[in-house]
Amino acid sequence: MPDTSKLEKLNRELEKSEKKLRKAINDEKALQHQLKQLTRKERTHRLCTRGGMLESFLQEPERLTDDDVMVLLKLIFHRQDTQELLKKLLERKKPETP
C-alpha cells in the first residue's frame, strides 16, 4: 500500500507542476501581447508626431498629394548635405557597446 500513496503523491505533484507550467505559458503569452501593443502604440505615436512635423513645413499640405510629398522628400534626402547631416545625427545617437 505505501507504493500506491507514493504514486498518488507523485501524480498530484505532477498535476500541480503541469498547472504551473500552463499558467506560466499563459502569462508569457499575455506579456508578449502587451509588448506588441506597446510597440505598436509607440510606433503610431512616432509616425503621427513626425508626420505633423513634416506638415508644419509644407505650404498648403492639403493641396499636395502623397506622391508630391514623396518627390519632395526624395529630393531633400538625396542631397549630399542632407546625407552628411543624417549620418552625423545617427553617429551621435549610436548605442554604446560594452
Side-chain angles (χ1 to χ4, degrees):
M1 281 298 193
D3 290 339
T4 306
S5 73
K6 190 174 183 179
L7 181 61
E8 288 173 359
K9 183 180 177 183
L10 289 173
N11 279 331
R12 284 193 302 271
E13 287 181 27
L14 179 62
E15 285 178 30
K16 192 187 284 187
S17 295
E18 287 174 345
K19 187 176 179 180
K20 281 184 180 180
L21 177 61
R22 283 192 301 273
K23 183 183 180 331
I25 289 171
N26 287 335
D27 289 348
E28 180 186 18
K29 285 180 183 178
L31 290 172
Q32 287 176 345
H33 180 71
Q34 282 180 329
L35 181 63
K36 283 180 185 177
Q37 278 188 315
L38 288 174
T39 303
R40 186 171 42 249
K41 284 181 182 180
E42 186 178 280
R43 180 177 183 270
T44 300
H45 176 73
R46 185 180 66 246
L47 290 172
C48 291
T49 301
R50 292 179 183 180
M53 289 176 186
L54 171 62
E55 277 211 354
S56 73
F57 288 98
L58 299 175
Q59 297 172 359
E60 301 182 57
E62 62 280 347
R63 291 184 52 200
L64 297 172
T65 66
D66 291 346
D67 289 337
D68 294 337
V69 175
M70 182 57 89
V71 168
L72 182 60
L73 289 172
K74 281 181 180 179
L75 177 71
I76 293 168
F77 280 93
H78 279 94
R79 291 178 46 143
Q80 186 63 36
D81 58 341
T82 304
Q83 288 292 319
E84 290 171 7
L85 176 60
L86 183 58
K87 189 174 182 177
K88 285 179 186 177
L89 291 171
L90 290 172
E91 283 294 319
R92 205 176 73 201
K93 303 290 183 185
K94 193 179 252 184
E96 297 194 19
T97 53

